[in-house]
Amino acid sequence: MIDTILITGATLPGGSQSDILVAGGVIRELGSIAAPAGSRRIDAAGLVALPGLVDLHTHLREPGFEQSETVLTGSQAAAAGGFTSIFAMANTLPVADTAGVVEQVLSLGQQAGYATVRPIGAVTRGLLGEQLSEIGAMAHSRAAVRVFSDDGKCVHDSLLMRRALEYVSSFDGVIAQHAQDPRLTEAAQMNEGSLSSELGLKGWPAVAEESIIARDVLLAEHVGARLHICHLSTAGSVEVIRWAKARGIRVTAEATPHHLLLTEDLVRSYDARYKVNPPLRRDEDVLALRAAIADGTIDIIATDHAPHPSESKECEWDSAAFGMVGLESALSVVQTALVDTNLVGWNDVARLLSATPAAIGGLIGAGAIRAGAAADITLHDPSTSSVFDVTDLAGKSVNSPYLGRQLSGSVRYTLHNGYLTLDDGLVVPAEVVAASARAGSQMEMGE
Amino acid sequence: MRHLLSTKNLSRDEAILLLDIAEDMSDTQLREVKKLPTLRGKTVVNLFFEDSTRTRVSFEAAAKRLSADVINFSAKGSSVSKGESLKDTAQTLAAIGADGVIIRHAASGAPQRLAESRWIDAGILNAGDGTHEHPTQALLDAFTMRRRIHGDASRGKDLDGISVAIVGDITHSRVARSNLWLLRTLGAHVTFVAPATLIPFGAAEWPATISYDLDQTLSEGRPDVVMLLRIQAERMDAAFFPNEREYSRWWGLDDERFAAMRSDSIVMHPGPMNRGLEISSTAADSAQSTVLEQVTNGVSVRMAALYMLLAGEREGA
Ligand SMILES: [Zn+2]
């Protein structure tokens, strides 16, 4: 196994060129570096080197829904997309509401070795929105859970939300809220507007999201807690967050790649690949989200990678499952929607997709390319433009809305803890990655 | 025409051609031998995921009068109700050689999904999908209006300048949507009349006048056609309106409102009617009412639709 990798001629997020020397799982040196004997050399001329991407919102489906995804296959999808850390949502079966489940997910992630898998704990037992789950036990478990979310469901009871915000602050945790008023969205299928009425699909009003966000930022202010809002999808939500931040409320917000590129018009096809929660919205919402990313109102981009088997999508719209896979395509979508449109630079991409999600999730040491940091590095070629294809997917499910769509850029290499998980566009085989991960952890114990 | 999924993308010429063919079909129905050989050897499947005896029987009569072989495939008691997917059902129908599939489904877009999938190559005819569309109902309504207005000189005519008030639960009505698109294409003007809860969200962007006041629409608009839609009791539970009495008081075509209408105006209802709720018996049984004509014309219009989809070599098939 080659332990030393020299990346030459990479473009750092700030725009400067540098070689990057990686050894023993750590970035040793930046600058102009002579190749050490026996090292693997990666020619990164023309490639952007980003700190390994961090996804605060991934559905890995294991335990319980292994036909859609497993921790292994989901982290392979992560590697293909340039992600080195992923936060696994709690809506598994059993739900990740106890120390046992989150430790199981943590271990599966460590065995697979493609990425740091950080479990998210459920806010309420069984995601039922009735009683708090064992938040303290999960926080103090080996998984050291810091992010708690009932994602897929909204913590809609105001009192329970207040208590949750207060309680997790005891453990330096944060609640990641899936903002969706359940009564206003009963049986809802797509963004509510003249198009939903024309298509005869039950409307999902923007106010169902915005009213919960408004309530929750006020609750966070009242109890002085930290709040994170998942997948903002409307222009109104942006306004509420902007107001809250101006007021000094400790709120962070996320947007998904698909809400930055796709609009409700795609639903005209009744193709359930475009069915997602929250739903695709209008053009003006997409533009408002992009502007909010550019001005810092939205802090991070997270994939909401949501794998589903084909039979859950190859059916009539009403019966189809919500969600789309997104890990493999995220960086290309971000380039297409934000970089190519000159709204953000690569430095911002590094912040939006690595440094800030790492900070929100309490992931220490991630999010920067600097000497001494763990060698989590993504090498991205921004010069390509290609039609996204099913062969670009590396997870178990193929419910991508981008199949057949032209996207910019492609991830060429992913390094996690100093070893390759994606090598020249190909996912490194599982046994090779697992062996690297084992070697790495033994070395850590030896040091 | 490859499929008939919606009236929204029917051109004026296509719509008039279909109505004219329906006139021809209607003429044949006056003969002693009603049956035509047009679709001999073709297999038409009535695929009904939702119960609707009226519509199914109308399609069945239309297909049989064109000499097609008709297979009734209803969801109740079949593999469909045991959780078989739309895809599997479609592939089964493809395997038995269906040339045309008439589909009624509770999910909006299911017919389009069938038409655009590679599951089956048959011509797809939408017989009502969710709250989306019911194109043959709109076509038979337009046919009925055209006949009442132009009589024997109907062929080639559109509905230019005709005013139509559609009254009732627009929000949940596929009939209202299909009628709006078709009537606009044919030159008519449409007013939707309902309490605000039963007007679709965003309908202000549609090419229709919105009215909350039936009396005002009747007295000021003096519409040529008043079409009542069925009100379902379950809407009261979901807080769309308080109770039947209040609904019929403000939006029902009762005797008084009917008496104040122009004597040459037309009263329509797609059936089944709630007499005394959205329409009074006097209005429903009057000479101005077209309720039974609509049923008769339904067969002619569906014959025309099947003819346009399935006769001869199918384009792109
Ligand atoms: Zn969510």
Side-chain angles (χ1 to χ4, degrees), chain A residues 192-201 268-273 310 313-319, chain B residues 8 86-87 105-110 112-113 116 119 129 131-132 177 181 200-203 205-206:
Chain A
E192 182 165 82
S194 61
L195 183 60
S196 64
S197 294
E198 178 192 325
L199 297 178
L201 294 174
R268 282 190 181 282
S269 65
Y270 292 100
D271 183 338
R273 279 190 301 143
S310 62
K313 290 290 188 180
E314 282 196 314
C315 56
E316 57 277 21
W317 183 277
D318 281 358
S319 316
Chain B
K8 190 141 199 255
L86 184 62
K87 178 181 172 179
H105 203 294
S108 299
Q112 186 179 328
R113 200 80 173 104
E116 290 174 1
W119 308 331
D129 62 328
T131 53
H132 176 225
R177 285 165 177 75
W181 312 129
F201 187 88
E205 294 169 38
W206 290 359

Side-chain angles (χ1 to χ4, degrees), chain A residues 57 59 89 149-153 177-180 230-231 254 277-278 304:
Chain A
H57 194 145
H59 295 275
M89 276 297 176
S149 181
D150 275 1
D151 184 65
K153 291 191 174 163
Q177 174 71 299
H178 170 116
Q180 179 192 350
C230 298
H231 42 52
E254 120 199 343
N277 175 354
D304 197 3

